[in-house]
Amino acid sequence: MNWGGQEFRTVLENLYLNQHGYQSWLLCHSDSQIYKKGKLLGANVVAMDLTCSWRIDTAMRIFFFCKKNSISLINSHGSKDSSLCLMSYFLGIPLIRSRQITNPIRKFFSYMHGCTHIMVAAHAIKNSLLKAGINENKITVIGEGVDLNQFNPAVDSTYLKAEFGIADDDGVVVNIGMIREDKGQIYFLEAARIILAHKKSIKFFIVGEGTGNKKLEQQLRALIKQYGIEKNVFITGYREDIAAFTHLANVIVVASISTEAQSRVVPQAFATRRTVVSTDIGGLTELVKDGLTGLVIPPRNAAAMATAISRILEDKQLRQKLENNAFELAERSLSFDTMMKRTIELYESF
């Protein structure tokens, strides 16, 4: 029901397919954020109740929708919708299961026998499937991609300096993502507190909003006030201008402690020539190579995070080396267009 990187990627895929000669529909619950925001963005969304895994009437609706619209393939993105698509799969419509998180996989049977193929967002996810005995030929890795027209070094972020009172010589450190326990914002805040104890010219941003009852977001706001760092640490809430915040930053921090595949934030930062400090979680280090395209730190370690951030801010030569290497990687192989061409190639093989 939330709106995060996986949901945004799904909407962008739908838009890309329909803009490049394919017919694609996005079936989702009418109360979900992906339905509401997808509609605003112009995606071909269709309202359908997918909240229960074993509703035979919903499974039949999906099958007849596919037959009516001559749909030749289904791509499912979660366990509930995958279960609801099983009828269509067993009645002859190829089913690709997408997996974009690195959580432990509990129901291997559905991956072995309940789909045609599995598309994963990181090699770390593929490895967990291989350990479960799933045939390697049934798995394709297609990582994250970035729109190079939207994220690039020429993005304008000057208005954000005025909005948040940032001086030209202030350092800026940014964390982007939904505020959830697994995203590690609590460690990002602790790293900010450590740095601000001896250097006041740094501004820290948590760009995103809490999920559910927003308990964690409220906790973070209370800690910022308790630490007395309100003038240096900002929680922006949901923002559309992620490209501008990425450009504003000297350092982008991915503080995740679990579930992360490659993170859309990483290629976005690379394409904008911004340095990434990332935890060693999931598939993040498939892109963030320590000392080459960024700095890698252990998860749940605010002190290590503070040290890495300070190192980047203080060592301009290192920062430029990491940014140049990361930018070249983004230009060479991380574009959204490249990602979608690989996706379409996979789709057309069935």
Side-chain angles (χ1 to χ4, degrees):
M1 292 293 183
N2 293 309
W3 177 252
Q6 180 176 334
E7 291 77 16
F8 194 30
R9 170 173 167 164
T10 304
V11 168
L12 292 178
E13 288 181 13
N14 176 265
L15 291 169
Y16 186 98
L17 289 167
N18 284 310
Q19 291 165 2
H20 288 79
Y22 299 86
Q23 287 187 298
S24 173
W25 291 263
L26 184 55
L27 275 58
C28 45
H29 199 281
S30 60
D31 288 336
S32 65
Q33 289 297 313
I34 192 171
Y35 179 84
K36 296 171 183 176
K37 292 189 181 295
K39 206 166 188 179
L40 287 173
L41 291 169
N44 197 3
V45 291
V46 177
M48 196 170 292
D49 185 359
L50 305 177
T51 56
C52 181
S53 300
W54 300 107
R55 284 190 56 170
I56 188 68
D57 58 330
T58 303
M60 291 177 65
R61 281 188 66 196
I62 292 171
F63 174 71
F64 287 121
F65 180 88
C66 291
K67 299 303 288 185
K68 177 183 177 181
N69 292 284
S70 301
I71 290 172
S72 54
L73 180 141
I74 299 172
N75 183 355
S76 64
H77 295 267
S79 58
K80 288 181 180 179
D81 48 299
S82 296
S83 298
L84 290 167
C85 292
L86 281 175
M87 174 185 287
S88 299
Y89 168 65
F90 287 122
L91 290 174
I93 301 175
L95 172 62
I96 292 180
R97 284 201 63 169
S98 287
R99 188 168 179 84
Q100 298 174 12
I101 57 175
T102 55
N103 286 349
I105 300 169
R106 297 181 178 86
K107 298 179 180 179
F108 293 104
F109 184 86
S110 61
Y111 287 96
M112 289 182 175
H113 306 290
C115 62
T116 311
H117 200 79
I118 308 162
M119 182 168 66
V120 299
H123 288 277
I125 305 172
K126 177 181 178 178
N127 291 338
S128 66
L129 292 166
L130 292 176
K131 288 178 182 177
I134 295 172
N135 192 312
E136 184 173 10
N137 294 328
K138 194 176 182 178
I139 309 167
T140 298
V141 179
I142 300 179
E144 294 291 349
V146 56
D147 184 342
L148 299 177
N149 292 317
Q150 183 181 7
F151 290 85
N152 59 71
V155 170
D156 177 27
S157 61
T158 53
Y159 69 95
L160 291 175
K161 289 188 174 184
E163 181 177 346
F164 293 97
I166 301 171
D168 289 339
D169 57 350
D170 283 347
V172 179
V173 184
V174 175
N175 171 273
I176 300 170
M178 289 190 291
I179 299 176
R180 299 190 316 229
E181 296 285 349
D182 60 281
K183 294 296 184 181
Q185 282 100 347
I186 190 71
Y187 300 97
F188 179 77
L189 178 56
E190 287 301 313
R193 183 180 64 84
I194 293 169
I195 293 171
L196 290 170
H198 57 85
K199 192 166 186 177
K200 304 295 186 183
S201 60
I202 314 295
K203 297 293 192 294
F204 293 84
F205 288 86
I206 297 174
V207 182
E209 63 180 352
T211 58
N213 61 12
K214 299 191 177 184
K215 183 178 179 180
L216 179 57
E217 180 180 340
Q218 293 166 6
Q219 178 187 350
L220 292 174
R221 291 185 184 278
L223 285 172
I224 291 170
K225 188 174 182 179
Q226 178 184 326
Y227 295 157
I229 52 177
E230 301 98 317
K231 293 182 179 180
N232 292 80
V233 182
F234 305 90
I235 298 178
T236 67
Y238 177 77
R239 299 281 299 218
E240 296 281 355
D241 50 350
I242 299 302
F245 273 99
T246 304
H247 185 268
L248 177 71
N250 300 113
V251 186
I252 296 286
V253 177
V254 182
S256 300
I257 60 174
S258 65
T259 76
E260 202 73 74
Q262 288 185 353
S263 175
R264 298 180 71 247
V265 172
V266 172
Q268 289 170 354
F270 285 6
T272 315
R273 280 191 188 270
R274 293 300 180 261
T275 306
V276 174
V277 170
S278 168
T279 52
D280 185 6
I281 283 292
L284 288 170
T285 55
E286 293 172 24
L287 295 180
V288 186
K289 304 294 185 183
D290 190 43
L292 183 64
T293 58
L295 294 184
V296 178
I297 58 172
R300 305 175 187 267
N301 192 325
M305 189 182 297
T307 298
I309 292 169
S310 297
R311 185 180 170 197
I312 295 300
L313 291 174
E314 294 166 6
D315 190 338
K316 185 177 180 181
Q317 186 175 358
L318 172 63
R319 186 168 74 245
Q320 288 180 339
K321 183 190 86 168
L322 299 177
E323 289 173 354
N324 289 340
N325 290 339
F327 181 73
E328 289 173 10
L329 177 62
E331 290 271 293
R332 184 173 68 251
S333 57
L334 297 180
S335 74
F336 186 78
D337 192 59
T338 298
M339 185 196 88
M340 284 307 302
K341 285 177 179 177
R342 293 192 61 214
T343 302
I344 290 169
E345 183 180 352
L346 175 63
Y347 287 169
E348 291 183 338
S349 67
F350 297 102

